[in-house]
Every structure is written in C-alpha cells, then in structure tokens.
Amino acid sequence: MNIILMGPPGAGKGTQADLIKANYPIPHISTGDMFRDAVSNGTEMGIEAKKYMDSGRLVPDEVTIGIVQDRLNAQDCNQGFLLDGFPRTVKQAEALDQVLAQLGKRVEAAINIDVPEDILVERMTGRISCKDCKTVYHLKFNAPAKEGVCDKCGGELVQRSDDQGETVKKRLEVYAEQTNPLIEYYQKQGNFYGIDGNRSSQEVFKDIEKVMGSL
Ligand code: ADP
Ligand code: ADP
Ligand code: ZN
C-alpha cells in the first residue's frame, strides 16, 4: 500500500500514522521527523534545515526530494509506505510521481485530514512529544499520566520550538499558499480522500481504515 497523509500542521498526521503503523506493516516516513533527527544529530543538512523550520518555512524542495527519494529506495518500502508530511509542494508531488514511476509504483491514496484553523492553533500550541521515542501528546487533549513524562518509555516530554507564537501562524500561511494546491493535484489524479479531522483520533482513524480497506 502506497499512502500519503496530508493536512495542515497540527491536523493529526503523526497521530494517525502511529495508529496506521500499529495495524499495517508499512514503514512510516515523516520528513518532519527526518529533519528533526538531522537537527539533533547536528549534521550539515540539519543545521541548514533548522533555519527554515524555526521560521516556519519549508525546507527547499531539492533537499527534501533528495532525502525522500533515498528513503523510498530502501528495501523496507517494497511492501508499501506511509508518507507523512511529504509532498508539501506541487514540485515535490511531481518529483514523487516520477520517483515512483521509476520503481513501477504510484500513490494509491492521498488522504487529507482537514481541521479548522482555530483548532489547529490549539493543537499545535499544546503539543508535546517524547524526546526519546517521539510519541506525541497534547497538554489538554491527550495528556500523559504523569506530567512531563512519557507513558511509553519514561522519556522527557518537550515542546517543539516551532510550535510557538509567530512560527505557528507562519506555518499556517505557508500551508495555505504552498501545500493546499495539492488537494486539487490529487483530485485530478483520482486518488484523493478527504477526511474530517475535527473529531476524536479514533473516529478519524475509522475513516482512514475504510479508505485503506477499499484499496
Ligand atoms: P501533525 O502531525 O499533523 O502536525 P499531530 O499528530 O502531531 O499532527 O497532532 C497535533 C497535536 O494535536 C498533538 O498534540 C496531538 O496529540 C493532538 N491531536 C491529534 N489528533 C487529535 C484529535 N483527533 N483530537 C484532539 N487532539 C488531537
Ligand atoms: P507539521 O505537520 O506539524 O507542520 P512536520 O513535522 O511535518 O510538522 O514539519 C516540521 C517542519 O519541517 C516544517 O515546518 C518544514 O520546515 C519542515 N518540513 C517537513 N516536511 C517538509 C517537506 N515535505 N518540505 C519542506 N519542508 C518540510
Ligand atoms: Zn517515550
């Protein structure tokens, strides 16, 4: 199954990806996670990417397309993949189609999680995640049993530096300008599935399962 998860920042892509991963044996490829790993490892790419991430802008297409292309060529993508947060521009979507065509594959479903803007702001500003296992929580909507501590691994829960203030607003603007056009891109391909993300994670997941079951 070759799936992409789309939606504005804070829509619940990562949360749904975790639920999908637990039920389907396909690798979860999150460009945001890949960039954050590069930042914490202090690689050259990470240092460059951090500038864009902290200002709420997209990392340049050439960099992003390159890392996804390498990842899709890995052995574990033979049975399919779940792309989370990629593509985010029409140029990335076109590059993805090309890369997949070379591998004899295509995007089977572009699942778009839709959430109103005021809710997105609330979700982003309350998001915390585990430094170690990366599990995502929310201060109000999905709080850990013990404040500041990961339920799963006991790791420390931290807020992302880009989930604050002006950066949140900028990311929403960038989404509207650069990523929203992808809805039409995939509608034209006939593989677009729109999901109402303004419900509980379990309800959203049920609809995603329906889409995946229909492929
Ligand atoms: P994205 O990957 O799209 O940016 P996340 O999955 O990280 O989004 O979710 C953003 C924040 O909203 C997190 O704090 C998460 O716990 C919370 N969240 C995710 N889905 C829901 C939901 N259906 N209802 C309420 N809060 C949610
Ligand atoms: P969210 O969905 O909550 O915005 P992500 O973790 O997907 O968060 O992305 C965090 C940041 O990483 C983005 O704001 C952007 O700077 C960078 N990034 C992630 N994916 C891409 C992409 N496909 N193209 C360009 N930049 C990206
Ligand atoms: Zn953890």
Side-chain angles (χ1 to χ4, degrees), residues 153-167:
C153 77
E156 185 194 348
L157 300 180
V158 292
Q159 189 186 34
R160 271 167 50 177
S161 56
D162 60 345
D163 271 343
Q164 304 169 42
E166 284 303 305
T167 311

Side-chain angles (χ1 to χ4, degrees), residues 1-2 9 34 36 38 55 59 62 71 77 83 95 97-98 110 133 150 160 164 170 176 186 188 194 197 200 206:
M1 253 181 272
N2 307 329
M34 288 162 96
R36 279 185 290 277
S55 61
V59 178
E62 308 79 70
R71 184 65 188 84
C77 292
L83 270 173
D97 282 345
Q98 265 178 25
C133 74
C150 178
R160 271 167 50 177
Q164 304 169 42
K170 180 69 183 168
Y186 287 108
K188 280 189 186 148
S200 74
K206 266 189 209 150

Side-chain angles (χ1 to χ4, degrees), residues 21-199:
K21 240 189 338 191
N23 291 274
Y24 298 86
I26 48 176
H28 170 209
I29 304 173
S30 156
T31 41
D33 284 346
M34 288 162 96
F35 286 135
R36 279 185 290 277
D37 281 346
V39 171
S40 59
N41 291 332
T43 67
E44 211 174 297
M45 189 267 274
I47 293 166
E48 186 62 21
K50 188 170 170 31
K51 293 186 218 156
Y52 294 93
M53 295 166 83
D54 279 348
S55 61
R57 292 171 298 154
L58 296 181
V59 178
D61 282 335
E62 308 79 70
V63 178
T64 311
I65 290 166
I67 64 165
V68 173
Q69 179 163 16
D70 288 348
R71 184 65 188 84
L72 288 174
N73 277 306
Q75 196 73 27
D76 65 340
C77 292
N78 284 348
Q79 301 306 314
F81 53 80
L82 176 66
L83 270 173
D84 160 9
F86 182 95
R88 261 176 151 104
T89 63
V90 170
K91 203 166 159 210
Q92 290 179 13
E94 288 168 351
L96 176 64
D97 282 345
Q98 265 178 25
V99 170
L100 292 180
Q102 279 164 11
L103 296 167
K105 297 179 184 176
R106 64 181 185 88
V107 173
E108 286 167 90
I111 299 175
N112 187 61
I113 307 174
D114 191 32
V115 174
E117 197 161 306
D118 53 333
I119 309 278
L120 291 173
V121 172
E122 220 184 345
R123 285 193 186 175
M124 276 190 271
T125 50
R127 168 163 51 192
I128 41 175
S129 52
C130 176
K131 250 182 152 171
D132 299 328
C133 74
K134 316 287 183 226
T135 300
V136 174
Y137 298 84
H138 191 281
L139 291 170
K140 223 160 83 188
F141 307 138
N142 178 23
K146 190 170 169 223
E147 198 185 316
V149 180
C150 178
D151 291 347
K152 284 194 189 155
C153 77
E156 185 194 348
L157 300 180
V158 292
Q159 189 186 34
R160 271 167 50 177
S161 56
D162 60 345
D163 271 343
Q164 304 169 42
E166 284 303 305
T167 311
V168 163
K169 264 179 42 204
K170 180 69 183 168
R171 283 159 67 206
L172 289 170
E173 279 168 31
V174 166
Y175 171 82
E177 263 172 42
Q178 301 191 54
T179 309
N180 205 42
L182 289 182
I183 293 177
E184 206 184 316
Y185 182 91
Y186 287 108
Q187 277 172 338
K188 280 189 186 148
Q189 285 197 358
N191 51 4
F192 179 84
Y193 298 87
I195 305 253
D196 172 10
N198 193 13
R199 297 173 294 161

